[in-house]
């Protein structure tokens, strides 16, 4: 649905995005992660037909952003990282204005506005002044506006930035809902954990370079190295360690009081074999937890690699 | 709120015009001979037109001079550009909004003009021409102010440049022409023919001169270029060309936002 092919964007002599390639399939939720100034906004603005690449090509839904910007605009909903709203309008007037700009049929306009307001939980603000909305509400209003023409692809640039924790959760729930509706979503953030739990794939960008991109499980598999199993034992942890070290697929086992941490090198779906083995050898344990791929660790690993 | 503001601006504008006209009438009726007071329209109508033209010079540029630059400052312009609104729609919407405001104020003065008209001395045709000049003047100023607003990032600067453009157009060019005419006269005793011709050509770009030329007795030397063409015609044509050029350049600018946003 979204294709970025070897795209470079230069501002004068400064390269903000350096030969980035990316492929996002239909219905995917792609987390675009990178620290501030990494080039996320620059990339998204090109996809949103607001700026041109210096090199390479981008397309959305098969439409080239340089040659067919209007077709692209028809199918995307773009939410900028910082945006303004017309403060002197009422909420419904604001949405009505954009509904007109998006050629929403006048007979359907009121319905559409009510629908997006309900989706973004702003129905009670229908007649309020845009000026009077909180930051989180303005963010949701902008998202509501983005949904007016029922776009297939959503480009959300740091939708949760600058919000309090409560508003953050609301935005995340909303994105999850949109994802259930089958939309292809590209959502950026400089905070990894914000996206980890609902993205099907991620891309990590730093200083204009895409360091890793793909499905979360693929990335974890290729980069995580050993999986850590946390085992809480009832008896002597050292005995458990001895048993674990008999196995060739355990690289290392260390204990930290009652909890034994074992680095497992086998395939993650076969981790039950280790459990059976321990039980079979008479080790009493109260918990056996293969640590789920920790994105944070991976993120650090990848970005550290880039610095080194 | 917004409707209220428009109403207040309009009321203030008409009030201001009435006060100016009223004061002049008062002064006239106290000091001028009865023959003039009986034909007060011949003085009051041009005064009313001139005051309005002055206000157009000040107001028209401010209406659309921040159309795009202000939206960029407020970070609302990107959302407008990614919408399905065509550049021509944005142009017509923005300039049209400024214009409707301007036309509203212009038509607000119609009752006053009919009052001064009823005082005699001017023809309905001349008043119609004066209004044509004013409308064209307003449209043109709105147009090039809009162009400035797409070219200049800061709205304060685009407003300033727009007003400066108006000043250059209505004041600086004729002033320059008169200065050179006077200069040539000081060398040769009488202004040379070419200078007089250039002066009158430059006057043909000026809406104030165009209105003045409607008043009987406006001096137009017998040998001056384009003598048979009324000054207001050339002035209106000149302004309309300026408007066309501005709108064309604005549209081009809006069509390739990706080169400057
Ligand atoms: N219009 C611009 N002109 C010059 N430099 C820019 C421009 N836009 C962005 N940059 C630079 O490009 C880099 C990437 O910026 P951006 O894409 O906004 O990062 P992110 O969104 O990941 O925080 C930054 O160093 C920024 O200063
Ligand atoms: Mg950004």
């Amino acid at each position: 649905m979204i294709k970025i092919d070897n795209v470079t964007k230069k501002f004068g002599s400064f390269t903000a995005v350096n030969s980035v390639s990316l492929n996002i399939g239909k219905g995917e939720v792609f987390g675009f992660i990178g620290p501030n100034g990494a080039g996320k906004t620059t990339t998204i603005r090109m996809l949103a037909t607001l700026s041109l690449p210096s090199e390479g090509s981008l397309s959305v839904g098969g439409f080239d952003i340089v040659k067919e910007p209007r077709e692209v605009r028809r199918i995307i909903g773009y939410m900028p990282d910082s945006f303004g709203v017309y403060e002197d309008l009422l909420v419904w007037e604001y949405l009505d204005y954009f509904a007109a700009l998006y050629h929403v049929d006048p007979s359907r306009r009121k319905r559409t506005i009510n629908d997006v307001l309900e989706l973004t939980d702003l129905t009670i603000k229908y007649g309020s002044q845009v000026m009077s909305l909180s930051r989180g509400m303005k963010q949701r209003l902008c998202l509501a506006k983005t949904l007016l023409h029922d776009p297939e692809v959503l480009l959300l640039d740091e939708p949760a930035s600058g919000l309090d924790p409560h508003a953050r959760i609301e935005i995340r729930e909303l994105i999850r809902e949109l994802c259930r509706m089958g939309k292809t979503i590209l959502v950026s953030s400089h905070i990894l954990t914000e996206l980890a739990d609902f993205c099907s794939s991620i891309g990590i960008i730093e200083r204009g370079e895409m360091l890793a991109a793909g499905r979360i499980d693929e990335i974890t598999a290729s980069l995580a190295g050993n999986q850590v199993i946390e085992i809480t034992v009832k008896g002597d942890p050292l005995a458990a360690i001895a048993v674990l070290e008999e196995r060739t697929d355990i690289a290392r086992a260390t204990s930290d009081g009652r909890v034994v941490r074992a680095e497992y090198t086998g395939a993650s779906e076969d981790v039950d074999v280790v459990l059976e083995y321990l039980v079979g050898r008479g080790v009493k344990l109260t918990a056996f937890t293969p640590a789920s791929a920790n994105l944070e660790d991976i993120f650090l690993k990848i970005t550290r690699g880039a610095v080194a | 709120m917004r409707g209220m503001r428009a109403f207040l601006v309009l009321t203030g504008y008409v009030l201001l015009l009435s006060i100016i006209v009223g004061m002049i009438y008062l002064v006239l009726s106290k000091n001028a001979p009865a023959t003039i007071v009986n034909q007060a329209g011949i003085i009051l109508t041009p005064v009313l037109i001139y005051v309005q033209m002055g206000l157009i010079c000040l107001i028209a540029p401010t209406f659309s001079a921040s159309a795009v630059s202000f939206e960029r400052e407020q970070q609302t312009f990107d959302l407008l550009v990614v919408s399905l609104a065509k550049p021509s729609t944005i142009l017509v919407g923005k300039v049209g909004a400024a214009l409707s405001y301007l036309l509203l104020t212009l038509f607000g003065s119609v009752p006053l003009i009919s009052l001064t008209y009823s005082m005699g001395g001017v023809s309905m045709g001349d008043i119609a021409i004066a209004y044509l000049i004013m409308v064209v003047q307003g449209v043109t100023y709105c147009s090039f102010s809009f162009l400035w607003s797409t070219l200049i990032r800061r709205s304060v600067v685009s407003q300033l440049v727009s007003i400066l453009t108006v000043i250059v157009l209505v004041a600086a060019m004729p002033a320059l022409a008169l200065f050179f005419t006077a200069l040539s006269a000081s060398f040769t005793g009488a202004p040379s023919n070419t200078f007089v011709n250039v002066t009158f050509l430059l006057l043909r770009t000026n809406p104030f001169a165009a209105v003045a030329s409607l008043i009987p007795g406006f001096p137009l030397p017998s040998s001056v270029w384009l003598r048979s063409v009324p000054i207001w015609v050339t002035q209106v044509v000149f302004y309309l060309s300026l408007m066309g050029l501005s709108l064309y350049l604005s549209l081009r600018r809006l069509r390739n936002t990706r080169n400057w946003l």
Side-chain angles (χ1 to χ4, degrees), chain A residues 45 48-52 65-66 69-70 73-74 80 82-84 86 88 93 97 101-103 145, chain B residues 1-2 5 71 74-87 89 94 257-259 261:
Chain A
R45 280 177 63 86
T49 72
L50 282 170
S51 78
L52 293 167
I65 64 121
V66 180
R70 259 188 95 70
R73 286 170 191 173
R74 211 179 292 279
S82 61
F83 60 89
Y86 302 99
D88 53 349
E93 289 175 326
Y97 172 67
L101 289 182
Y102 276 102
H103 309 320
K145 172 240 125 208
Chain B
M1 182 68 185
R2 275 161 289 137
R5 201 164 56 204
E71 289 229 10
Q74 301 287 299
Q75 297 186 301
T76 51
F77 193 60
D78 283 359
L79 293 178
L80 193 58
V81 171
V82 299
S83 80
L84 294 177
K86 291 199 187 79
T89 312
K94 292 282 182 195
T257 46
R258 288 194 282 189
N259 294 334
L261 262 188

Side-chain angles (χ1 to χ4, degrees), chain A residues 75-117:
Chain A
I75 60 167
I76 60 164
Y78 165 61
M79 181 165 160
D81 57 347
S82 61
F83 60 89
V85 285
Y86 302 99
E87 301 268 338
D88 53 349
L89 293 184
L90 304 179
V91 166
W92 76 268
E93 289 175 326
Y94 178 81
L95 292 173
D96 195 60
Y97 172 67
F98 278 102
L101 289 182
Y102 276 102
H103 309 320
V104 175
D105 195 64
S107 63
R108 287 196 306 117
R109 239 174 250 171
K110 198 168 155 59
R111 227 194 114 101
T112 309
I113 290 172
N114 285 332
D115 287 349
V116 296
L117 281 175

